[in-house]
Amino acid sequence: MNKLIKIINFKILGDNRGSLISLEKNIDIPFEIKRIYYIFDTKNNVSRGYHAHKKLEQIIICVKGSCKFILDNGFQKEEVTLNTPDIGLHIKNNIWREMHDFSQDCVLIVIASEHYDESDYIRDYDTFKKSITTI
Ligand code: T46
């Protein structure tokens, strides 16, 4: 069975002034980058996500603060806390995701393989479960 939580470790290019991470298409990010967005100022006790994507793949980086992701492939669920900018959570298609426990200062940068397309979203859990036949 494939592992649900896929973490990519990024190299920190630091010197005595501080740290820097550089992400390059097809080197650090294993797909063509078509979109980047960021999520910040998530209100207290708010959860986000609750959907899967038919085609979209994403790498999610928590550059500040922390939050928890629950991933679900229709058969099993796994949880991971993101709280450091030197790792990326790689979420492939057909994975249901929920995001919880955002710290007040949490900033997520998301690198996406496709342009925004609402028709790529599955926002109903039963529909998601029915769409999954194998892993
Ligand atoms: C995901 C998690 C990690 C756009 O207009 N363009 C965009 O590129 C995105 C991502 C969203 N939107 C609109 C759609 C909604 O009206 O922004 C609003 C909030 O989007 P959503 O409710 O999908 O946000 P989250 O935080 O639940 O989920 C987002 C991504 O949509 C999703 O792909 O994996 O972040």
Side-chain angles (χ1 to χ4, degrees):
M1 199 176 281
N2 285 333
K3 260 179 62 193
L4 261 171
I5 305 294
K6 296 178 195 301
I7 297 292
I8 303 179
N9 291 290
F10 303 130
K11 190 169 175 209
I12 300 177
L13 308 167
D15 58 25
N16 56 11
R17 296 169 300 169
S19 303
L20 182 155
I21 290 175
S22 163
L23 303 177
E24 298 190 19
K25 180 181 83 175
N26 296 333
I27 299 175
D28 311 281
I29 304 299
F31 49 73
E32 289 281 319
I33 298 167
K34 296 232 178 105
R35 176 169 52 116
I36 293 174
Y37 59 93
Y38 28 103
I39 296 173
F40 57 100
D41 278 352
T42 299
K43 306 299 175 221
N44 234 352
N45 298 318
V46 165
S47 293
R48 311 185 66 122
Y50 296 95
H51 59 257
H53 287 281
K54 296 173 195 164
K55 186 172 172 208
L56 181 72
E57 277 188 59
Q58 304 188 106
I59 308 275
I60 306 191
I61 304 154
C62 183
V63 290
K64 194 165 174 60
S66 64
C67 80
K68 193 166 81 187
F69 271 75
I70 297 174
L71 302 187
D72 176 349
N73 63 9
F75 297 92
Q76 55 173 149
K77 288 185 192 194
E78 282 180 26
E79 184 182 301
V80 63
T81 297
L82 297 186
N83 56 11
T84 176
D86 60 342
I87 66 164
L89 175 65
H90 186 185
I91 309 183
K92 292 197 173 178
N93 61 331
N94 292 325
I95 302 285
W96 186 265
R97 83 277 331 258
E98 296 175 14
M99 298 124 83
H100 303 285
D101 299 345
F102 284 84
S103 64
Q104 216 173 4
D105 59 348
C106 181
V107 180
L108 298 177
I109 291 186
V110 185
I111 301 172
S113 66
E114 306 296 333
H115 294 287
Y116 176 70
D117 175 7
E118 186 57 41
S119 72
D120 186 66
Y121 283 71
I122 306 173
R123 292 193 183 269
D124 173 72
Y125 189 74
D126 288 338
T127 308
F128 164 70
K129 280 284 279 181
K130 282 183 198 137
S131 75
I132 299 295
T133 47
T134 53
I135 50 175

Coordinates of all heavy atoms in Angstrom, one line a residue, residues 29-37 39 51-60 71 89-97 110-123 128:
I29 N 10.6 20.3 -7.3 CA 9.2 20.2 -7.5 C 9.0 19.2 -8.6 O 9.3 19.5 -9.8 CB 8.5 21.5 -7.8 CG1 8.8 22.5 -6.7 CG2 7.0 21.4 -7.9 CD1 8.4 22.2 -5.3
P30 N 8.3 18.0 -8.4 CA 8.3 17.0 -9.4 C 7.2 17.1 -10.4 O 6.7 16.1 -10.9 CB 8.1 15.7 -8.6 CG 7.4 16.2 -7.4 CD 7.8 17.6 -7.1
F31 N 6.8 18.4 -10.8 CA 5.9 18.6 -11.8 C 6.0 20.0 -12.4 O 6.7 20.8 -11.8 CB 4.4 18.3 -11.3 CG 4.0 19.0 -10.0 CD1 3.8 20.4 -10.0 CD2 3.9 18.3 -8.9 CE1 3.5 21.0 -8.8 CE2 3.6 19.0 -7.7 CZ 3.3 20.3 -7.7
E32 N 5.4 20.2 -13.5 CA 5.3 21.6 -14.1 C 4.5 22.5 -13.2 O 3.4 22.1 -12.8 CB 4.5 21.5 -15.4 CG 5.3 20.8 -16.6 CD 6.3 21.8 -17.2 OE1 6.0 23.0 -17.4 OE2 7.4 21.2 -17.5
I33 N 5.1 23.6 -12.8 CA 4.4 24.5 -11.9 C 3.5 25.4 -12.7 O 3.9 26.1 -13.6 CB 5.4 25.3 -11.1 CG1 6.3 24.4 -10.2 CG2 4.7 26.4 -10.2 CD1 7.5 25.1 -9.6
K34 N 2.2 25.3 -12.4 CA 1.2 26.2 -13.1 C 0.6 27.3 -12.3 O 0.1 28.2 -12.8 CB 0.1 25.4 -13.7 CG 0.5 24.3 -14.7 CD -0.3 24.4 -16.0 CE 0.2 23.5 -17.0 NZ -0.7 22.3 -17.2
R35 N 0.8 27.1 -10.9 CA 0.1 28.1 -10.0 C 0.7 28.0 -8.7 O 1.2 27.0 -8.2 CB -1.4 27.7 -9.9 CG -2.2 28.5 -9.0 CD -3.7 28.2 -9.2 NE -4.0 26.8 -9.2 CZ -4.7 26.2 -8.2 NH1 -5.3 26.9 -7.3 NH2 -4.9 24.9 -8.3
I36 N 0.8 29.2 -8.0 CA 1.2 29.3 -6.6 C 0.2 30.1 -5.9 O -0.2 31.2 -6.4 CB 2.6 29.9 -6.5 CG1 3.7 29.0 -7.2 CG2 3.0 30.2 -5.1 CD1 5.1 29.5 -7.3
Y37 N -0.2 29.7 -4.7 CA -1.1 30.5 -3.9 C -0.7 30.3 -2.5 O 0.1 29.4 -2.1 CB -2.6 30.2 -4.1 CG -3.0 28.8 -3.8 CD1 -3.5 28.4 -2.5 CD2 -3.0 27.8 -4.8 CE1 -3.9 27.2 -2.2 CE2 -3.4 26.5 -4.5 CZ -3.8 26.2 -3.2 OH -4.2 24.9 -2.9
I39 N -2.0 30.7 1.8 CA -3.1 30.7 2.7 C -2.6 31.3 4.0 O -1.6 30.8 4.6 CB -3.6 29.3 2.9 CG1 -4.2 28.7 1.6 CG2 -4.7 29.3 4.1 CD1 -4.6 27.3 1.7
H51 N -12.0 18.3 0.7 CA -12.2 18.0 -0.7 C -11.1 17.2 -1.2 O -10.0 17.0 -0.5 CB -12.4 19.3 -1.5 CG -11.2 20.2 -1.5 ND1 -11.1 21.4 -0.7 CD2 -9.9 20.1 -2.0 CE1 -9.9 21.9 -0.8 NE2 -9.2 21.2 -1.6
A52 N -11.2 16.6 -2.4 CA -10.2 16.0 -3.1 C -10.1 16.6 -4.5 O -11.0 17.4 -4.9 CB -10.5 14.5 -3.3
H53 N -9.1 16.3 -5.3 CA -8.9 16.8 -6.6 C -8.8 15.6 -7.6 O -8.2 14.6 -7.3 CB -7.7 17.6 -6.8 CG -7.8 19.0 -6.1 ND1 -8.5 20.0 -6.7 CD2 -7.4 19.4 -4.9 CE1 -8.5 21.0 -5.9 NE2 -7.8 20.7 -4.8
K54 N -9.5 15.7 -8.7 CA -9.5 14.7 -9.7 C -8.1 14.6 -10.4 O -7.6 13.5 -10.6 CB -10.5 14.9 -10.8 CG -11.9 14.9 -10.3 CD -12.9 15.4 -11.4 CE -14.2 15.7 -10.8 NZ -15.1 16.5 -11.7
K55 N -7.4 15.7 -10.7 CA -6.2 15.7 -11.4 C -5.0 16.4 -10.7 O -3.9 16.0 -10.9 CB -6.5 16.4 -12.8 CG -5.4 16.4 -13.8 CD -5.9 16.9 -15.1 CE -4.7 17.0 -16.0 NZ -4.9 18.1 -17.0
L56 N -5.4 17.5 -10.0 CA -4.4 18.4 -9.4 C -3.4 17.7 -8.4 O -3.8 16.9 -7.6 CB -5.1 19.5 -8.7 CG -4.2 20.6 -8.0 CD1 -3.6 21.5 -9.1 CD2 -5.1 21.4 -7.1
E57 N -2.1 18.0 -8.5 CA -1.1 17.6 -7.5 C -0.6 18.9 -6.9 O -0.4 19.9 -7.6 CB 0.1 17.0 -8.2 CG 0.0 15.6 -8.6 CD 1.4 15.1 -9.1 OE1 2.4 15.1 -8.3 OE2 1.4 14.6 -10.2
Q58 N -0.2 18.8 -5.6 CA 0.3 20.0 -5.0 C 1.4 19.7 -4.0 O 1.4 18.6 -3.5 CB -0.9 20.7 -4.2 CG -2.1 21.1 -5.1 CD -3.1 21.9 -4.4 OE1 -3.2 23.1 -4.7 NE2 -3.8 21.3 -3.5
I59 N 2.2 20.7 -3.8 CA 3.2 20.6 -2.7 C 2.9 21.8 -1.8 O 2.8 22.9 -2.2 CB 4.7 20.9 -3.2 CG1 5.0 20.0 -4.4 CG2 5.7 20.8 -2.1 CD1 5.5 18.6 -4.0
I60 N 2.7 21.4 -0.5 CA 2.3 22.4 0.5 C 3.5 22.7 1.5 O 4.0 21.7 2.0 CB 1.1 21.9 1.2 CG1 0.1 21.6 0.1 CG2 0.6 22.9 2.2 CD1 -1.3 21.3 0.4
L71 N -4.9 13.4 5.7 CA -5.1 12.9 4.3 C -5.8 11.5 4.3 O -5.6 10.7 5.2 CB -3.7 12.7 3.6 CG -2.9 14.0 3.5 CD1 -1.6 13.7 2.7 CD2 -3.6 15.2 3.0
L89 N 4.8 19.0 1.8 CA 3.9 17.8 1.8 C 3.3 17.7 0.3 O 2.7 18.6 -0.2 CB 2.7 18.1 2.7 CG 1.6 17.1 2.8 CD1 2.1 15.7 3.2 CD2 0.4 17.6 3.6
H90 N 3.6 16.6 -0.3 CA 3.2 16.3 -1.7 C 1.9 15.6 -1.6 O 1.8 14.5 -1.2 CB 4.3 15.5 -2.3 CG 4.0 15.3 -3.8 ND1 4.8 14.5 -4.6 CD2 3.1 15.8 -4.6 CE1 4.4 14.5 -5.8 NE2 3.3 15.3 -5.9
I91 N 0.8 16.3 -2.1 CA -0.5 15.6 -2.2 C -0.8 15.4 -3.6 O -1.0 16.3 -4.4 CB -1.6 16.5 -1.5 CG1 -1.2 16.9 -0.1 CG2 -2.9 15.7 -1.4 CD1 -2.2 17.7 0.6
K92 N -1.0 14.1 -4.0 CA -1.3 13.8 -5.4 C -2.8 13.9 -5.5 O -3.6 14.2 -4.6 CB -0.8 12.4 -5.7 CG 0.8 12.4 -5.8 CD 1.3 11.2 -6.5 CE 2.8 11.3 -6.6 NZ 3.4 10.2 -7.3
N93 N -3.3 13.5 -6.7 CA -4.7 13.6 -7.0 C -5.5 12.4 -6.2 O -4.9 11.5 -5.7 CB -5.0 13.5 -8.5 CG -4.5 12.2 -9.1 OD1 -3.5 11.6 -8.6 ND2 -5.1 11.7 -10.1
N94 N -6.8 12.6 -6.1 CA -7.6 11.6 -5.5 C -7.3 11.3 -4.0 O -7.4 10.2 -3.6 CB -7.6 10.2 -6.3 CG -8.3 10.4 -7.6 OD1 -9.2 11.1 -7.8 ND2 -7.7 9.7 -8.6
I95 N -6.9 12.4 -3.3 CA -6.7 12.3 -1.9 C -7.6 13.4 -1.2 O -7.5 14.5 -1.5 CB -5.2 12.6 -1.5 CG1 -4.2 11.7 -2.2 CG2 -5.0 12.6 0.0 CD1 -4.2 10.3 -1.7
W96 N -8.4 12.9 -0.3 CA -9.3 13.8 0.5 C -8.4 14.5 1.5 O -7.6 13.8 2.2 CB -10.4 13.0 1.1 CG -11.4 13.8 1.9 CD1 -11.4 14.1 3.2 CD2 -12.5 14.4 1.3 NE1 -12.5 14.9 3.5 CE2 -13.2 15.1 2.4 CE3 -13.1 14.5 0.0 CZ2 -14.4 15.8 2.2 CZ3 -14.3 15.2 -0.2 CH2 -14.9 15.8 0.9
R97 N -8.5 15.8 1.7 CA -7.6 16.5 2.7 C -8.5 17.4 3.6 O -9.5 18.0 3.1 CB -6.5 17.3 2.0 CG -6.8 18.7 1.5 CD -7.3 18.8 0.1 NE -7.0 17.7 -0.8 CZ -6.1 17.8 -1.8 NH1 -5.5 18.9 -2.0 NH2 -5.9 16.8 -2.6
V110 N 1.4 27.1 -1.4 CA 1.0 25.9 -2.2 C 1.5 26.0 -3.6 O 1.2 27.0 -4.3 CB -0.5 25.7 -2.1 CG1 -0.9 24.4 -2.8 CG2 -1.0 25.7 -0.7
I111 N 2.2 25.0 -4.1 CA 2.7 25.0 -5.5 C 1.8 23.9 -6.2 O 1.7 22.8 -5.7 CB 4.2 24.6 -5.5 CG1 5.0 25.6 -4.7 CG2 4.7 24.5 -6.9 CD1 6.4 25.3 -4.4
A112 N 1.2 24.3 -7.3 CA 0.2 23.5 -7.9 C 0.5 23.1 -9.3 O 1.1 23.9 -10.1 CB -1.2 24.2 -7.8
S113 N 0.1 22.0 -9.7 CA 0.4 21.4 -11.1 C -0.5 21.9 -12.1 O -0.3 21.7 -13.3 CB 0.5 19.9 -11.1 OG -0.9 19.4 -10.8
E114 N -1.6 22.6 -11.7 CA -2.7 23.0 -12.7 C -3.2 24.4 -12.3 O -3.1 24.8 -11.2 CB -3.9 22.0 -12.7 CG -3.5 20.5 -12.9 CD -3.0 20.2 -14.2 OE1 -3.3 20.9 -15.2 OE2 -2.2 19.3 -14.3
H115 N -3.8 25.0 -13.3 CA -4.5 26.3 -13.0 C -5.7 26.0 -12.2 O -6.2 24.8 -12.1 CB -4.9 26.9 -14.4 CG -3.7 27.4 -15.2 ND1 -3.0 28.5 -14.8 CD2 -3.2 26.9 -16.3 CE1 -2.0 28.6 -15.7 NE2 -2.1 27.6 -16.6
Y116 N -6.3 27.0 -11.6 CA -7.5 26.8 -10.7 C -8.6 26.4 -11.6 O -8.9 27.0 -12.7 CB -7.8 28.1 -10.0 CG -9.1 28.0 -9.2 CD1 -9.2 27.2 -8.1 CD2 -10.2 28.7 -9.7 CE1 -10.3 27.1 -7.4 CE2 -11.4 28.6 -9.0 CZ -11.5 27.8 -7.8 OH -12.6 27.7 -7.1
D117 N -9.3 25.3 -11.2 CA -10.4 24.8 -12.0 C -11.4 24.2 -11.0 O -11.2 23.1 -10.5 CB -9.9 23.8 -13.0 CG -11.0 23.1 -13.7 OD1 -12.2 23.5 -13.6 OD2 -10.7 22.1 -14.4
E118 N -12.5 24.9 -10.7 CA -13.5 24.3 -9.7 C -14.0 23.0 -10.1 O -14.3 22.2 -9.2 CB -14.6 25.4 -9.5 CG -15.6 25.0 -8.4 CD -15.0 24.8 -7.0 OE1 -14.1 25.6 -6.6 OE2 -15.4 23.9 -6.3
S119 N -14.0 22.7 -11.4 CA -14.6 21.4 -11.8 C -13.6 20.2 -11.5 O -14.0 19.0 -11.6 CB -14.9 21.4 -13.3 OG -13.8 21.3 -14.1
D120 N -12.4 20.5 -11.1 CA -11.5 19.5 -10.6 C -11.7 19.1 -9.2 O -11.1 18.1 -8.7 CB -10.0 20.0 -10.8 CG -9.0 18.9 -10.6 OD1 -8.9 18.0 -11.3 OD2 -8.3 19.0 -9.6
Y121 N -12.5 19.8 -8.5 CA -12.7 19.6 -7.0 C -13.8 18.5 -6.8 O -14.8 18.5 -7.6 CB -13.2 20.8 -6.3 CG -12.1 21.8 -6.0 CD1 -11.6 22.6 -7.0 CD2 -11.7 22.1 -4.7 CE1 -10.6 23.6 -6.7 CE2 -10.8 23.0 -4.4 CZ -10.2 23.8 -5.4 OH -9.2 24.7 -5.1
I122 N -13.6 17.6 -5.9 CA -14.7 16.7 -5.4 C -14.9 17.2 -3.9 O -14.1 17.0 -3.1 CB -14.3 15.2 -5.4 CG1 -13.8 14.8 -6.8 CG2 -15.5 14.4 -4.9 CD1 -13.3 13.4 -6.9
R123 N -16.0 17.9 -3.7 CA -16.3 18.5 -2.4 C -17.2 17.7 -1.5 O -17.6 18.1 -0.4 CB -16.7 19.9 -2.6 CG -15.6 20.9 -3.1 CD -16.0 22.3 -3.0 NE -15.1 23.3 -3.6 CZ -14.0 23.8 -2.9 NH1 -13.8 23.5 -1.7 NH2 -13.3 24.7 -3.5
F128 N -16.6 11.3 -3.3 CA -15.1 10.9 -3.3 C -15.0 9.4 -3.1 O -14.3 8.7 -3.9 CB -14.4 11.7 -2.2 CG -13.1 11.2 -1.9 CD1 -12.0 11.2 -2.8 CD2 -12.8 10.5 -0.7 CE1 -10.8 10.7 -2.5 CE2 -11.6 10.0 -0.4 CZ -10.5 10.1 -1.3

